[in-house]
Amino acid sequence: MLIWFLPLFLLFLMIGLPVFFGLLAAPGILLFVNGQERDLTLLYRNLYNGMDSFPLMAIPFFMLAGEIMNRGGITYRLVEFSQAFMGHLRGGLAHVNVMSSMLFAGLSGSAVADTSALGSMLIPAMEKQGYTRRFAAAITAASSVIGPIIPPSGIMIIYAYVMGESVAALFLAGLVPGVLVGVGLMLLIKVMADRYDFPVASRKYSWGERGTASLKAFFPLLTPVIILGGILGGVFTPTEAAAVAVFYALFISLFVLKTLRLSELPDVLGRAGLTSAVVLLLVGAAMSFKTVVSLSHAPQHMADFILSLTENPLLLLFLINLLLFVVGMFLDAGPAIIILGPILGPVFTGMGVDSVHFAIIMCVNLTVGLATPPMGLVLFVASAVSGERVTTIARAILPFLAVEIAVIFLITYFPAISMTIPRLTGFAN
């Protein structure tokens, strides 16, 4: 009977129950009806145990670092840096939007933070320059999914925690796919700019002005170097790296750039605390949900079902990408990883797919789901920032989603794209 936990959970989502309560209610009801009150106690105890983890502490620290940098005006410096090098192109501000997302990804690792921080700045600027508001909102939402792909990445930390993978290996494996998504979006913008005669910036920056913009952006751009360098060099763990990122963000915002006041810190801490609480509650509930996954023998049933369709790993990867894409439309990436990772991961690693490679396929696919209609979270954030309707943004974002789906299949069928750097550095076999 426990095997019905997933359909019941989906039913709760369809009737509008928040994900957190659905993750607890669906398995809880089935355990009670099944007469497993002892396991019911285990389910709710795991809600706390799922959050009580040192590796997961990296998530609130990275969120706090991103919030400090955003409030400290560092986001503006990244946009200015991007504008200096790409603003003169046809469709320049759209290119700047994507490039800024790639740079911001190395600071926060959050698609929502990217959409909120960059959207509030770039959407009005793009509209003023002649872009439609729906296009500006759509490219902001589409490019924001780069945030959790290029390290640091909150969802990769969650995957590593659940599946026992190396955080460093996942971070390194996400570098090239993240850049590929950005380059793909820029190529599409180039085609659209020539076809629809997008605006051109009024002037081209001189190399002196570019040098000045680079100096202003130097300290923010040093953040991912410190984070990745420290982790890969064995100087500190990912959680310690996140704490170092917070200290570094505070130091440069308060004392070097002097763009943040001490009086602003309580509000910064409050905002970071609220967003962190939402993520950690979802992780805790999803870990409880995972308890019933194991009790119901769902992984074995899923493996038997998948292998009954075909034993060709290439075709299975195609089908799993379709499944993950559909799941990403309705479910946030973190809970989806915790629910489906233990079910799908062992099936594909048993078929010879590298565990890090499968992790990247899953993380990138579910991240793109954040910008996918009808329930993509960043669509709602982009709507709130721009004032445009979600349905309007959803239609405008479709060409960009096509590019991101193409990248997903590239990294699926060409493992070297994501696996070369981890292998060269010795973090993957």
Side-chain angles (χ1 to χ4, degrees), residues 341-373:
I343 297 175
L344 300 176
V347 176
F348 284 89
T349 52
M351 297 177 63
V353 178
D354 188 279
S355 60
V356 174
H357 180 217
F358 182 76
I360 292 302
I361 294 171
M362 191 170 193
C363 288
V364 174
N365 204 319
L366 291 171
T367 298
V368 171
L370 292 171
T372 307

PDB file of all heavy atoms in Angstrom, residues 341-373:
ATOM      1  N   GLY A 341      16.332  11.108  -6.421  1.00  0.00           N
ATOM      2  CA  GLY A 341      17.740  10.699  -6.457  1.00  0.00           C
ATOM      3  C   GLY A 341      17.951   9.273  -5.981  1.00  0.00           C
ATOM      4  O   GLY A 341      18.552   8.446  -6.693  1.00  0.00           O
ATOM      5  N   PRO A 342      17.464   8.913  -4.776  1.00  0.00           N
ATOM      6  CA  PRO A 342      17.659   7.543  -4.286  1.00  0.00           C
ATOM      7  C   PRO A 342      16.930   6.490  -5.121  1.00  0.00           C
ATOM      8  O   PRO A 342      17.272   5.315  -5.073  1.00  0.00           O
ATOM      9  CB  PRO A 342      17.077   7.594  -2.861  1.00  0.00           C
ATOM     10  CG  PRO A 342      17.092   9.032  -2.483  1.00  0.00           C
ATOM     11  CD  PRO A 342      16.854   9.782  -3.751  1.00  0.00           C
ATOM     12  N   ILE A 343      15.892   6.912  -5.876  1.00  0.00           N
ATOM     13  CA  ILE A 343      15.155   5.968  -6.708  1.00  0.00           C
ATOM     14  C   ILE A 343      15.864   5.735  -8.040  1.00  0.00           C
ATOM     15  O   ILE A 343      16.077   4.602  -8.473  1.00  0.00           O
ATOM     16  CB  ILE A 343      13.713   6.474  -6.960  1.00  0.00           C
ATOM     17  CG1 ILE A 343      12.940   6.554  -5.643  1.00  0.00           C
ATOM     18  CG2 ILE A 343      12.979   5.572  -7.949  1.00  0.00           C
ATOM     19  CD1 ILE A 343      11.551   7.169  -5.786  1.00  0.00           C
ATOM     20  N   LEU A 344      16.255   6.839  -8.700  1.00  0.00           N
ATOM     21  CA  LEU A 344      16.799   6.740 -10.055  1.00  0.00           C
ATOM     22  C   LEU A 344      18.312   6.533 -10.090  1.00  0.00           C
ATOM     23  O   LEU A 344      18.823   5.839 -10.981  1.00  0.00           O
ATOM     24  CB  LEU A 344      16.445   8.011 -10.843  1.00  0.00           C
ATOM     25  CG  LEU A 344      14.950   8.312 -11.003  1.00  0.00           C
ATOM     26  CD1 LEU A 344      14.755   9.644 -11.704  1.00  0.00           C
ATOM     27  CD2 LEU A 344      14.264   7.201 -11.776  1.00  0.00           C
ATOM     28  N   GLY A 345      19.036   7.153  -9.129  1.00  0.00           N
ATOM     29  CA  GLY A 345      20.497   7.072  -9.141  1.00  0.00           C
ATOM     30  C   GLY A 345      21.032   5.650  -9.202  1.00  0.00           C
ATOM     31  O   GLY A 345      21.839   5.315 -10.087  1.00  0.00           O
ATOM     32  N   PRO A 346      20.604   4.760  -8.285  1.00  0.00           N
ATOM     33  CA  PRO A 346      21.135   3.386  -8.300  1.00  0.00           C
ATOM     34  C   PRO A 346      20.830   2.628  -9.585  1.00  0.00           C
ATOM     35  O   PRO A 346      21.616   1.781 -10.015  1.00  0.00           O
ATOM     36  CB  PRO A 346      20.431   2.738  -7.098  1.00  0.00           C
ATOM     37  CG  PRO A 346      20.049   3.874  -6.213  1.00  0.00           C
ATOM     38  CD  PRO A 346      19.742   5.010  -7.128  1.00  0.00           C
ATOM     39  N   VAL A 347      19.686   2.932 -10.216  1.00  0.00           N
ATOM     40  CA  VAL A 347      19.320   2.245 -11.462  1.00  0.00           C
ATOM     41  C   VAL A 347      20.349   2.517 -12.546  1.00  0.00           C
ATOM     42  O   VAL A 347      20.841   1.609 -13.226  1.00  0.00           O
ATOM     43  CB  VAL A 347      17.915   2.689 -11.946  1.00  0.00           C
ATOM     44  CG1 VAL A 347      17.582   2.046 -13.291  1.00  0.00           C
ATOM     45  CG2 VAL A 347      16.859   2.335 -10.911  1.00  0.00           C
ATOM     46  N   PHE A 348      20.726   3.780 -12.695  1.00  0.00           N
ATOM     47  CA  PHE A 348      21.616   4.145 -13.795  1.00  0.00           C
ATOM     48  C   PHE A 348      23.080   3.875 -13.485  1.00  0.00           C
ATOM     49  O   PHE A 348      23.848   3.532 -14.381  1.00  0.00           O
ATOM     50  CB  PHE A 348      21.385   5.613 -14.176  1.00  0.00           C
ATOM     51  CG  PHE A 348      20.128   5.805 -14.959  1.00  0.00           C
ATOM     52  CD1 PHE A 348      18.926   6.050 -14.311  1.00  0.00           C
ATOM     53  CD2 PHE A 348      20.115   5.676 -16.331  1.00  0.00           C
ATOM     54  CE1 PHE A 348      17.747   6.190 -15.020  1.00  0.00           C
ATOM     55  CE2 PHE A 348      18.947   5.811 -17.058  1.00  0.00           C
ATOM     56  CZ  PHE A 348      17.763   6.071 -16.402  1.00  0.00           C
ATOM     57  N   THR A 349      23.475   4.027 -12.231  1.00  0.00           N
ATOM     58  CA  THR A 349      24.855   3.660 -11.901  1.00  0.00           C
ATOM     59  C   THR A 349      25.049   2.158 -12.056  1.00  0.00           C
ATOM     60  O   THR A 349      26.120   1.689 -12.439  1.00  0.00           O
ATOM     61  CB  THR A 349      25.220   4.091 -10.471  1.00  0.00           C
ATOM     62  OG1 THR A 349      24.226   3.589  -9.552  1.00  0.00           O
ATOM     63  CG2 THR A 349      25.273   5.610 -10.361  1.00  0.00           C
ATOM     64  N   GLY A 350      23.972   1.389 -11.792  1.00  0.00           N
ATOM     65  CA  GLY A 350      24.035  -0.056 -11.999  1.00  0.00           C
ATOM     66  C   GLY A 350      24.160  -0.428 -13.469  1.00  0.00           C
ATOM     67  O   GLY A 350      24.604  -1.521 -13.809  1.00  0.00           O
ATOM     68  N   MET A 351      23.765   0.484 -14.346  1.00  0.00           N
ATOM     69  CA  MET A 351      23.868   0.241 -15.792  1.00  0.00           C
ATOM     70  C   MET A 351      25.163   0.787 -16.377  1.00  0.00           C
ATOM     71  O   MET A 351      25.356   0.767 -17.593  1.00  0.00           O
ATOM     72  CB  MET A 351      22.672   0.872 -16.505  1.00  0.00           C
ATOM     73  CG  MET A 351      21.338   0.285 -16.106  1.00  0.00           C
ATOM     74  SD  MET A 351      19.959   1.127 -16.904  1.00  0.00           S
ATOM     75  CE  MET A 351      20.293   0.761 -18.616  1.00  0.00           C
ATOM     76  N   GLY A 352      26.030   1.313 -15.508  1.00  0.00           N
ATOM     77  CA  GLY A 352      27.328   1.781 -15.977  1.00  0.00           C
ATOM     78  C   GLY A 352      27.445   3.282 -16.171  1.00  0.00           C
ATOM     79  O   GLY A 352      28.494   3.772 -16.592  1.00  0.00           O
ATOM     80  N   VAL A 353      26.378   4.038 -15.875  1.00  0.00           N
ATOM     81  CA  VAL A 353      26.453   5.504 -15.969  1.00  0.00           C
ATOM     82  C   VAL A 353      27.198   6.029 -14.750  1.00  0.00           C
ATOM     83  O   VAL A 353      26.886   5.648 -13.617  1.00  0.00           O
ATOM     84  CB  VAL A 353      25.037   6.124 -16.047  1.00  0.00           C
ATOM     85  CG1 VAL A 353      25.118   7.646 -16.094  1.00  0.00           C
ATOM     86  CG2 VAL A 353      24.281   5.591 -17.258  1.00  0.00           C
ATOM     87  N   ASP A 354      28.184   6.884 -14.960  1.00  0.00           N
ATOM     88  CA  ASP A 354      28.959   7.440 -13.851  1.00  0.00           C
ATOM     89  C   ASP A 354      28.031   8.208 -12.907  1.00  0.00           C
ATOM     90  O   ASP A 354      27.159   8.965 -13.343  1.00  0.00           O
ATOM     91  CB  ASP A 354      30.046   8.373 -14.383  1.00  0.00           C
ATOM     92  CG  ASP A 354      31.007   8.814 -13.292  1.00  0.00           C
ATOM     93  OD1 ASP A 354      30.653   9.743 -12.544  1.00  0.00           O
ATOM     94  OD2 ASP A 354      32.099   8.225 -13.183  1.00  0.00           O
ATOM     95  N   SER A 355      28.219   8.021 -11.613  1.00  0.00           N
ATOM     96  CA  SER A 355      27.317   8.639 -10.630  1.00  0.00           C
ATOM     97  C   SER A 355      27.370  10.163 -10.667  1.00  0.00           C
ATOM     98  O   SER A 355      26.347  10.842 -10.496  1.00  0.00           O
ATOM     99  CB  SER A 355      27.648   8.134  -9.217  1.00  0.00           C
ATOM    100  OG  SER A 355      28.986   8.449  -8.870  1.00  0.00           O
ATOM    101  N   VAL A 356      28.567  10.726 -10.908  1.00  0.00           N
ATOM    102  CA  VAL A 356      28.686  12.188 -11.007  1.00  0.00           C
ATOM    103  C   VAL A 356      28.002  12.687 -12.274  1.00  0.00           C
ATOM    104  O   VAL A 356      27.331  13.731 -12.273  1.00  0.00           O
ATOM    105  CB  VAL A 356      30.173  12.616 -10.979  1.00  0.00           C
ATOM    106  CG1 VAL A 356      30.309  14.117 -11.224  1.00  0.00           C
ATOM    107  CG2 VAL A 356      30.805  12.246  -9.648  1.00  0.00           C
ATOM    108  N   HIS A 357      28.155  11.950 -13.359  1.00  0.00           N
ATOM    109  CA  HIS A 357      27.512  12.323 -14.622  1.00  0.00           C
ATOM    110  C   HIS A 357      25.994  12.332 -14.467  1.00  0.00           C
ATOM    111  O   HIS A 357      25.315  13.287 -14.889  1.00  0.00           O
ATOM    112  CB  HIS A 357      27.930  11.340 -15.727  1.00  0.00           C
ATOM    113  CG  HIS A 357      27.326  11.648 -17.066  1.00  0.00           C
ATOM    114  ND1 HIS A 357      26.923  10.672 -17.953  1.00  0.00           N
ATOM    115  CD2 HIS A 357      27.032  12.830 -17.665  1.00  0.00           C
ATOM    116  CE1 HIS A 357      26.432  11.238 -19.030  1.00  0.00           C
ATOM    117  NE2 HIS A 357      26.476  12.540 -18.883  1.00  0.00           N
ATOM    118  N   PHE A 358      25.446  11.295 -13.836  1.00  0.00           N
ATOM    119  CA  PHE A 358      23.995  11.255 -13.634  1.00  0.00           C
ATOM    120  C   PHE A 358      23.548  12.393 -12.713  1.00  0.00           C
ATOM    121  O   PHE A 358      22.478  12.982 -12.919  1.00  0.00           O
ATOM    122  CB  PHE A 358      23.557   9.910 -13.044  1.00  0.00           C
ATOM    123  CG  PHE A 358      22.071   9.815 -12.868  1.00  0.00           C
ATOM    124  CD1 PHE A 358      21.250   9.592 -13.960  1.00  0.00           C
ATOM    125  CD2 PHE A 358      21.485   9.988 -11.622  1.00  0.00           C
ATOM    126  CE1 PHE A 358      19.862   9.540 -13.817  1.00  0.00           C
ATOM    127  CE2 PHE A 358      20.110   9.928 -11.464  1.00  0.00           C
ATOM    128  CZ  PHE A 358      19.296   9.697 -12.567  1.00  0.00           C
ATOM    129  N   ALA A 359      24.366  12.709 -11.705  1.00  0.00           N
ATOM    130  CA  ALA A 359      24.029  13.812 -10.794  1.00  0.00           C
ATOM    131  C   ALA A 359      23.888  15.118 -11.561  1.00  0.00           C
ATOM    132  O   ALA A 359      22.953  15.898 -11.319  1.00  0.00           O
ATOM    133  CB  ALA A 359      25.100  13.934  -9.720  1.00  0.00           C
ATOM    134  N   ILE A 360      24.801  15.371 -12.499  1.00  0.00           N
ATOM    135  CA  ILE A 360      24.753  16.614 -13.270  1.00  0.00           C
ATOM    136  C   ILE A 360      23.539  16.622 -14.194  1.00  0.00           C
ATOM    137  O   ILE A 360      22.865  17.650 -14.341  1.00  0.00           O
ATOM    138  CB  ILE A 360      26.061  16.811 -14.065  1.00  0.00           C
ATOM    139  CG1 ILE A 360      27.212  17.064 -13.105  1.00  0.00           C
ATOM    140  CG2 ILE A 360      25.937  17.962 -15.060  1.00  0.00           C
ATOM    141  CD1 ILE A 360      27.022  18.271 -12.191  1.00  0.00           C
ATOM    142  N   ILE A 361      23.254  15.483 -14.840  1.00  0.00           N
ATOM    143  CA  ILE A 361      22.062  15.400 -15.686  1.00  0.00           C
ATOM    144  C   ILE A 361      20.826  15.771 -14.879  1.00  0.00           C
ATOM    145  O   ILE A 361      19.988  16.578 -15.306  1.00  0.00           O
ATOM    146  CB  ILE A 361      21.906  13.975 -16.265  1.00  0.00           C
ATOM    147  CG1 ILE A 361      23.038  13.651 -17.238  1.00  0.00           C
ATOM    148  CG2 ILE A 361      20.553  13.827 -16.974  1.00  0.00           C
ATOM    149  CD1 ILE A 361      23.064  12.206 -17.686  1.00  0.00           C
ATOM    150  N   MET A 362      20.718  15.199 -13.691  1.00  0.00           N
ATOM    151  CA  MET A 362      19.538  15.424 -12.849  1.00  0.00           C
ATOM    152  C   MET A 362      19.482  16.871 -12.351  1.00  0.00           C
ATOM    153  O   MET A 362      18.419  17.518 -12.408  1.00  0.00           O
ATOM    154  CB  MET A 362      19.576  14.460 -11.674  1.00  0.00           C
ATOM    155  CG  MET A 362      18.288  14.420 -10.880  1.00  0.00           C
ATOM    156  SD  MET A 362      18.275  13.058  -9.684  1.00  0.00           S
ATOM    157  CE  MET A 362      16.544  13.053  -9.232  1.00  0.00           C
ATOM    158  N   CYS A 363      20.600  17.381 -11.882  1.00  0.00           N
ATOM    159  CA  CYS A 363      20.617  18.741 -11.320  1.00  0.00           C
ATOM    160  C   CYS A 363      20.314  19.787 -12.395  1.00  0.00           C
ATOM    161  O   CYS A 363      19.524  20.715 -12.161  1.00  0.00           O
ATOM    162  CB  CYS A 363      21.979  19.030 -10.680  1.00  0.00           C
ATOM    163  SG  CYS A 363      22.264  18.142  -9.134  1.00  0.00           S
ATOM    164  N   VAL A 364      20.926  19.654 -13.578  1.00  0.00           N
ATOM    165  CA  VAL A 364      20.701  20.633 -14.645  1.00  0.00           C
ATOM    166  C   VAL A 364      19.252  20.565 -15.115  1.00  0.00           C
ATOM    167  O   VAL A 364      18.597  21.592 -15.310  1.00  0.00           O
ATOM    168  CB  VAL A 364      21.677  20.399 -15.820  1.00  0.00           C
ATOM    169  CG1 VAL A 364      21.326  21.329 -16.992  1.00  0.00           C
ATOM    170  CG2 VAL A 364      23.117  20.641 -15.381  1.00  0.00           C
ATOM    171  N   ASN A 365      18.738  19.346 -15.296  1.00  0.00           N
ATOM    172  CA  ASN A 365      17.362  19.190 -15.772  1.00  0.00           C
ATOM    173  C   ASN A 365      16.362  19.810 -14.800  1.00  0.00           C
ATOM    174  O   ASN A 365      15.472  20.572 -15.207  1.00  0.00           O
ATOM    175  CB  ASN A 365      17.066  17.697 -15.953  1.00  0.00           C
ATOM    176  CG  ASN A 365      15.951  17.442 -16.954  1.00  0.00           C
ATOM    177  OD1 ASN A 365      14.952  18.148 -16.959  1.00  0.00           O
ATOM    178  ND2 ASN A 365      16.118  16.431 -17.784  1.00  0.00           N
ATOM    179  N   LEU A 366      16.514  19.511 -13.524  1.00  0.00           N
ATOM    180  CA  LEU A 366      15.570  20.039 -12.533  1.00  0.00           C
ATOM    181  C   LEU A 366      15.752  21.541 -12.328  1.00  0.00           C
ATOM    182  O   LEU A 366      14.802  22.248 -11.988  1.00  0.00           O
ATOM    183  CB  LEU A 366      15.729  19.295 -11.210  1.00  0.00           C
ATOM    184  CG  LEU A 366      15.277  17.832 -11.234  1.00  0.00           C
ATOM    185  CD1 LEU A 366      15.669  17.112  -9.950  1.00  0.00           C
ATOM    186  CD2 LEU A 366      13.765  17.724 -11.458  1.00  0.00           C
ATOM    187  N   THR A 367      16.962  22.027 -12.553  1.00  0.00           N
ATOM    188  CA  THR A 367      17.192  23.475 -12.469  1.00  0.00           C
ATOM    189  C   THR A 367      16.472  24.200 -13.587  1.00  0.00           C
ATOM    190  O   THR A 367      15.852  25.244 -13.361  1.00  0.00           O
ATOM    191  CB  THR A 367      18.698  23.774 -12.530  1.00  0.00           C
ATOM    192  OG1 THR A 367      19.349  23.164 -11.411  1.00  0.00           O
ATOM    193  CG2 THR A 367      18.954  25.267 -12.477  1.00  0.00           C
ATOM    194  N   VAL A 368      16.552  23.660 -14.796  1.00  0.00           N
ATOM    195  CA  VAL A 368      15.819  24.255 -15.920  1.00  0.00           C
ATOM    196  C   VAL A 368      14.315  24.249 -15.626  1.00  0.00           C
ATOM    197  O   VAL A 368      13.583  25.154 -16.035  1.00  0.00           O
ATOM    198  CB  VAL A 368      16.125  23.493 -17.231  1.00  0.00           C
ATOM    199  CG1 VAL A 368      15.205  23.940 -18.369  1.00  0.00           C
ATOM    200  CG2 VAL A 368      17.584  23.714 -17.633  1.00  0.00           C
ATOM    201  N   GLY A 369      13.867  23.251 -14.867  1.00  0.00           N
ATOM    202  CA  GLY A 369      12.458  23.201 -14.471  1.00  0.00           C
ATOM    203  C   GLY A 369      12.018  24.406 -13.673  1.00  0.00           C
ATOM    204  O   GLY A 369      10.819  24.732 -13.637  1.00  0.00           O
ATOM    205  N   LEU A 370      12.958  25.105 -13.028  1.00  0.00           N
ATOM    206  CA  LEU A 370      12.615  26.306 -12.272  1.00  0.00           C
ATOM    207  C   LEU A 370      12.066  27.412 -13.168  1.00  0.00           C
ATOM    208  O   LEU A 370      11.369  28.319 -12.701  1.00  0.00           O
ATOM    209  CB  LEU A 370      13.855  26.827 -11.521  1.00  0.00           C
ATOM    210  CG  LEU A 370      14.390  25.959 -10.381  1.00  0.00           C
ATOM    211  CD1 LEU A 370      15.736  26.492  -9.898  1.00  0.00           C
ATOM    212  CD2 LEU A 370      13.401  25.929  -9.222  1.00  0.00           C
ATOM    213  N   ALA A 371      12.411  27.347 -14.473  1.00  0.00           N
ATOM    214  CA  ALA A 371      11.938  28.369 -15.413  1.00  0.00           C
ATOM    215  C   ALA A 371      10.893  27.821 -16.372  1.00  0.00           C
ATOM    216  O   ALA A 371      10.603  28.440 -17.397  1.00  0.00           O
ATOM    217  CB  ALA A 371      13.122  28.921 -16.200  1.00  0.00           C
ATOM    218  N   THR A 372      10.345  26.646 -16.057  1.00  0.00           N
ATOM    219  CA  THR A 372       9.422  25.968 -16.964  1.00  0.00           C
ATOM    220  C   THR A 372       7.981  26.155 -16.517  1.00  0.00           C
ATOM    221  O   THR A 372       7.665  25.936 -15.353  1.00  0.00           O
ATOM    222  CB  THR A 372       9.749  24.458 -17.009  1.00  0.00           C
ATOM    223  OG1 THR A 372      11.127  24.287 -17.322  1.00  0.00           O
ATOM    224  CG2 THR A 372       8.922  23.761 -18.068  1.00  0.00           C
ATOM    225  N   PRO A 373       7.093  26.556 -17.429  1.00  0.00           N
ATOM    226  CA  PRO A 373       5.670  26.628 -17.082  1.00  0.00           C
ATOM    227  C   PRO A 373       5.139  25.236 -16.737  1.00  0.00           C
ATOM    228  O   PRO A 373       5.691  24.241 -17.220  1.00  0.00           O
ATOM    229  CB  PRO A 373       5.029  27.140 -18.396  1.00  0.00           C
ATOM    230  CG  PRO A 373       6.162  27.683 -19.215  1.00  0.00           C
ATOM    231  CD  PRO A 373       7.374  26.926 -18.808  1.00  0.00           C
TER     232      PRO A 373
END
